[in-house]
Amino acid sequence: MKQLFAVELGDDGALLAALEPWRAEEFLAHMERGREHIGRYTGLADVVTDLESARSYLVSYADKAATDTGRLYGIWLDGLLVGGVLFRTMDVGGGLAEAGCWLEPAAVGKGLVTRAVRVIIDWAVEERGIHRVEWWAAADNTASLAVARRLGMSRDGVLREHYLHRGRRLDMEIWSVLAPEWRATR
């Protein structure tokens, strides 16, 4: 499938493009392939359970894009949706954004999230004037914490037992990068 307005993430065929409501069936199929893996640390797998909820989730991010308060992008590998990255929140006036990600198991270990998040942070800092990009991850989500490190983020602290997920409270680490730091590493 040809992606309109896609960004190539390298020479392995990986693409980053907007994940829009008309892709709800594809999004749901992706979620079904990776539901257990994706749901280990995020609520996304518990929210997107059928076509209606998949479409609703995608519409919520289309609304955020329209109001400049968030963004959602899919990652495709060889034409198959395998994950995504997002700005869960964006406060352009305040210069703050929170980035996040998810992947299905077949896409893990290929550097896709790191490459995709680099693209969206570049855009947020250079085009939207975001000063601080945050990365929140469960303290035992070593893969997500490794992404923050690879992106050159600094660990700001831990919110102990902050996130209630599937009946247990998770410690959440907060990492961030400031625009001057980001530019210095580019």
Side-chain angles (χ1 to χ4, degrees):
M1 169 188 306
K2 182 172 172 35
Q3 291 281 357
L4 186 62
F5 307 118
V7 174
E8 292 182 7
L9 295 176
D11 57 6
D12 59 358
L15 297 174
L16 180 70
L19 186 50
E20 299 173 323
W22 64 272
R23 293 188 175 276
E25 287 183 30
E26 182 181 17
F27 182 49
L28 178 61
H30 153 64
M31 197 55 54
E32 292 299 338
R33 288 190 304 273
R35 184 169 308 284
E36 200 48 46
H37 179 78
I38 294 166
R40 290 182 313 157
Y41 297 108
T42 74
L44 179 60
D46 299 332
V47 171
V48 177
T49 57
D50 57 22
L51 188 56
E52 182 179 332
S53 60
R55 186 172 286 109
S56 178
Y57 186 83
L58 296 179
V59 165
S60 75
Y61 272 90
D63 290 345
K64 284 183 175 194
T67 59
D68 213 16
T69 58
R71 294 287 190 287
L72 181 66
Y73 304 95
I75 301 171
W76 282 263
L77 189 57
D78 298 323
L80 184 68
L81 179 65
V82 296
V85 295
L86 71 158
F87 285 118
R88 197 184 68 75
T89 61
M90 278 183 69
D91 175 358
V92 175
L96 305 171
E98 180 194 335
C101 69
W102 75 92
L103 281 177
E104 64 182 65
V108 171
K110 301 176 187 316
L112 296 171
V113 166
T114 302
R115 289 184 271 159
V117 175
R118 277 193 184 114
V119 170
I120 68 171
I121 291 176
D122 276 342
W123 173 81
V125 168
E126 300 304 337
E127 300 296 325
R128 302 303 297 130
I130 295 296
H131 177 72
R132 176 185 167 91
V133 176
E134 294 182 349
W135 186 265
W136 290 47
D140 59 351
N141 186 346
T142 56
S144 189
L145 298 176
V147 169
R149 284 185 196 93
R150 283 192 298 273
L151 292 169
M153 293 183 164
S154 297
R155 183 174 179 255
D156 295 333
V158 177
L159 297 174
R160 297 178 312 132
E161 297 187 4
H162 179 77
Y163 178 53
L164 180 60
H165 181 64
R166 295 183 172 179
R168 64 185 187 117
R169 292 216 164 262
L170 303 178
D171 291 351
M172 296 298 292
E173 290 196 16
I174 302 173
W175 292 66
S176 68
V177 64
L178 305 178
E181 297 165 343
W182 184 254
R183 288 183 183 116
T185 65
R186 305 309 297 145

